Amino acid sequence: MTGNVPSAWKEANVVPIHKKGSLSNPNNYRPISLTSVVAKVLEGFVRSSLERVLVGGGVVGDEQFGFLSGRSAALQMVDCLGFWVGWLDSGAGVDVVYLDFKKAFDSVPHAGVLAKLEASGVGGSALGWIRSFLVGRRQRVLIEGEFSGWRDVVSGVPQGSVLGPLLFLVFVSDLVGVVKSGSVLRLYADDSKLFRGIWGPDDVRALQRDLDSVSAWARSWGIEFNPDKCGVLRLGGGQSDPDYFLTTPRGQVRLKVLREESDLGVLVDGRLDFSSHILGKVGKASRSLGLVSRVFRSLDVASFLPLYKALVRPHLEYCSPVWSPSQVGLSGKIENIQKRATKRVRGIRELSYPERLRFLGIPTLTYRRLRADLIFLWGILKSGDPVGGRIVSLSSGATRGHSMKLEKKRVSTRYARSFLGYRVFPVWNSLPQNVINSVSLNSFKNSLNKRFSGLPLKFDWKDRSGLPRF
């Protein structure tokens, strides 16, 4: 009501969290603010109301996927893939410009955030409270129990707060509007990528114009891109190699050409087959399994399952609807990790792999990826998210089966054949109406479990009998 935030709630101990690179370089750490727990409770209420206003009113658009309910990294990646494989299948190349804001959360000007909030319809005591929340903050660094001195915070939104990320989304919300030459911009908080199908020189020039517009937007709002962390990834091959330039306060910088890029935790390369990502994750899972094996020489079932599910399997399943392999060889490398892991359980080492899985009550990773594909697709189609319409098309006219059958697409490249919208087509269309009509996500999962309870693939990763094919 008064529009004031107590000064004690605006003090933060900053803990540096290492991101990547040299441990001795302070620029490789993310500053996380440890703020008042009571303040965070109130921030949560404010955020919930503010998100409904901003998202419902279209201020934060469908191009933004970060820190929003019902949106995820996997959803954004599948959305982008829908564009990319469509262009590649039509014979074009694809140029993807990855952009990295320089200290984005820390450099956002408070006046800019408040001006955009006010333009979005936020006013009165609510705007006053947010102004008080941002202005007059101070912080100190905490490392191993030792404190630095206090310093005033003159810009940015606090990383580690509840409300800060949403305020950042408001600040970048109008960035999408400057892209006017037909390129596509996608955001995940401060991670952004600008991309376009390349049929010829006109498309290259159009992508550069949009890149210039994005650069001009950043300069006008007092923030910068870090050119050392920006680059262009070319998908598909067979195209020319044009240069793209990023305009910075110190002049134009030619963007480096990337061989591969970690995109929201998924390694993307020019072949778009995700083999590098899969092999990397197999290596990480193998190292985690090795650590478990060294610490626990022998495991019973009760000890094995929580350790495996928490420390090993997540490496092999993060964002699987994006990269699920169509090659048997890659599927085998993934499955081999679980095969080795189950041999660590005493008393069942002499059993075959399918027998060990039945004993432990866990399915093959191949089955889990298929199930994850179906759950992912059901979620976006039922939610009405625009992404659904970009990756699949519902069949029109009278059809046998359920009411959400997918239209079979004609595709000509491996890019499209391995894409979620194509590979899941026959299994999705074979589901009965009562499964599709599930009233909640948990209900859909339970219905799938019953539907596939006797599926051979569940315990034998090579046996796809019982699954429909094209």
Side-chain angles (χ1 to χ4, degrees):
M1 293 294 291
T2 62
N4 289 318
V5 176
S7 58
W9 289 8
K10 296 193 285 186
E11 295 177 346
N13 293 326
V14 174
V15 177
I17 303 297
H18 182 251
K19 295 188 291 184
K20 58 182 178 181
S22 171
L23 292 171
S24 60
N25 186 348
N27 291 322
N28 292 334
Y29 289 79
R30 185 186 305 278
I32 301 299
S33 299
L34 305 181
T35 57
S36 164
V37 175
V38 180
K40 287 184 176 181
V41 173
L42 182 53
E43 285 180 63
F45 291 125
V46 175
R47 180 199 161 90
S48 297
S49 298
L50 197 59
E51 183 176 340
R52 285 195 298 270
V53 171
L54 297 174
V55 177
V59 176
V60 178
D62 293 329
E63 297 82 4
Q64 177 64 260
F65 289 76
F67 303 118
L68 295 175
S69 303
R71 315 223 89 190
S72 65
L75 187 65
Q76 197 222 59
M77 283 298 298
V78 169
D79 185 29
C80 293
L81 280 173
F83 286 101
W84 298 348
V85 301
W87 289 328
L88 292 169
D89 203 54
S90 67
V94 180
D95 286 351
V96 185
V97 178
Y98 286 93
L99 298 168
D100 185 87
F101 286 108
K102 187 175 182 180
K103 298 187 179 299
F105 281 77
D106 298 325
S107 59
V108 169
H110 294 158
V113 175
L114 294 169
K116 293 186 180 186
L117 278 170
E118 190 169 17
S120 303
V122 179
S125 59
L127 183 63
W129 188 90
I130 295 172
R131 179 182 290 107
S132 179
F133 173 81
L134 288 173
V135 177
R137 303 189 72 91
R138 63 178 193 157
Q139 62 188 24
R140 59 184 179 178
V141 178
L142 169 62
I143 299 179
E144 297 182 352
E146 299 293 330
F147 293 97
S148 72
W150 288 103
R151 292 291 185 272
D152 293 333
V153 180
V154 297
S155 66
V157 294
Q159 297 189 63
S161 67
V162 176
L163 188 57
L166 183 59
L167 296 179
F168 181 83
L169 300 191
V170 173
F171 180 76
V172 298
S173 60
D174 59 341
L175 175 57
V176 176
V178 307
V179 178
K180 297 179 179 179
S181 295
S183 305
V184 180
L185 180 69
R186 287 294 178 267
L187 303 164
Y188 193 93
D190 59 329
D191 290 322
S192 55
K193 48 184 174 278
L194 181 71
F195 52 87
R196 187 184 185 95
I198 305 297
W199 281 268
D202 288 344
D203 294 298
V204 173
R205 287 189 287 269
L207 183 55
Q208 181 63 63
R209 284 196 301 273
D210 285 329
L211 181 56
D212 291 340
S213 298
V214 170
S215 300
W217 176 93
R219 293 194 305 275
S220 68
W221 285 103
I223 60 174
E224 295 182 40
F225 289 108
N226 185 347
D228 294 334
K229 295 184 179 180
C230 299
V232 57
L233 179 67
R234 296 194 168 93
L235 308 178
Q239 303 295 320
S240 60
D241 296 328
D243 290 330
Y244 293 98
F245 295 87
L246 182 69
T247 304
T248 72
R250 288 162 293 282
Q252 282 199 329
V253 177
R254 184 170 63 87
L255 292 178
K256 60 187 175 185
V257 177
L258 306 168
R259 292 182 61 250
E260 56 189 22
E261 178 69 8
S262 180
D263 191 340
L264 302 181
V266 177
L267 191 62
V268 182
D269 60 34
R271 300 183 306 275
L272 208 62
D273 61 3
F274 298 106
S275 57
S276 298
H277 172 80
I278 293 169
L279 294 176
K281 291 301 182 181
V282 165
K284 286 186 177 181
S286 182
R287 290 190 289 274
S288 294
L289 178 59
L291 176 62
V292 171
S293 300
R294 289 192 295 273
V295 174
F296 301 92
R297 293 295 181 182
S298 182
L299 291 168
D300 57 16
V301 175
S303 301
F304 168 78
L305 288 176
L307 286 170
Y308 172 68
K309 291 179 180 180
L311 301 178
V312 181
R313 194 166 70 182
H315 290 298
L316 304 171
E317 295 191 330
Y318 171 74
C319 277
S320 67
V322 176
W323 54 261
S324 186
S326 56
Q327 305 98 316
V328 174
L330 289 176
S331 294
K333 290 181 182 297
I334 298 170
E335 204 69 46
N336 189 53
I337 298 295
Q338 183 163 277
K339 187 176 181 179
R340 287 168 45 202
T342 56
K343 282 189 174 182
R344 306 295 180 187
V345 183
R346 62 174 176 264
I348 64 171
R349 295 170 184 171
E350 303 305 318
L351 298 178
S352 68
Y353 180 43
E355 289 171 336
R356 294 198 299 272
L357 293 182
R358 287 189 176 91
F359 181 86
L360 293 168
I362 57 175
T364 64
L365 296 174
T366 306
Y367 167 82
R368 283 180 60 84
R369 290 196 301 276
L370 171 64
R371 181 173 176 270
D373 283 350
L374 296 171
I375 292 170
F376 183 86
L377 184 58
W378 184 89
I380 57 178
L381 290 179
K382 283 289 187 177
S383 69
D385 195 292
V387 173
R390 290 193 286 266
I391 65 172
V392 295
S393 299
L394 294 181
S395 181
S396 58
T399 59
R400 290 185 295 176
H402 62 75
S403 58
M404 295 180 67
K405 291 188 72 172
L406 305 181
E407 181 181 330
K408 183 177 179 179
K409 295 183 177 180
R410 292 183 178 275
V411 299
S412 57
T413 63
R414 64 169 178 83
Y415 307 109
R417 284 191 290 271
S418 61
F419 179 53
L420 171 70
Y422 186 90
R423 70 172 182 260
V424 80
F425 168 84
V427 181
W428 175 269
N429 280 3
S430 72
L431 296 176
Q433 186 69 54
N434 67 301
V435 175
I436 296 296
N437 285 344
S438 299
V439 297
S440 67
L441 186 59
N442 283 335
S443 175
F444 181 72
K445 291 178 181 179
N446 292 333
S447 297
L448 277 185
N449 292 342
K450 293 177 183 177
R451 173 74 174 173
F452 293 149
S453 59
L455 193 67
L457 184 70
K458 194 166 185 179
F459 299 112
D460 185 346
W461 70 275
K462 291 183 178 180
D463 191 346
R464 300 186 69 87
S465 61
L467 288 175
R469 297 175 180 271
F470 284 122

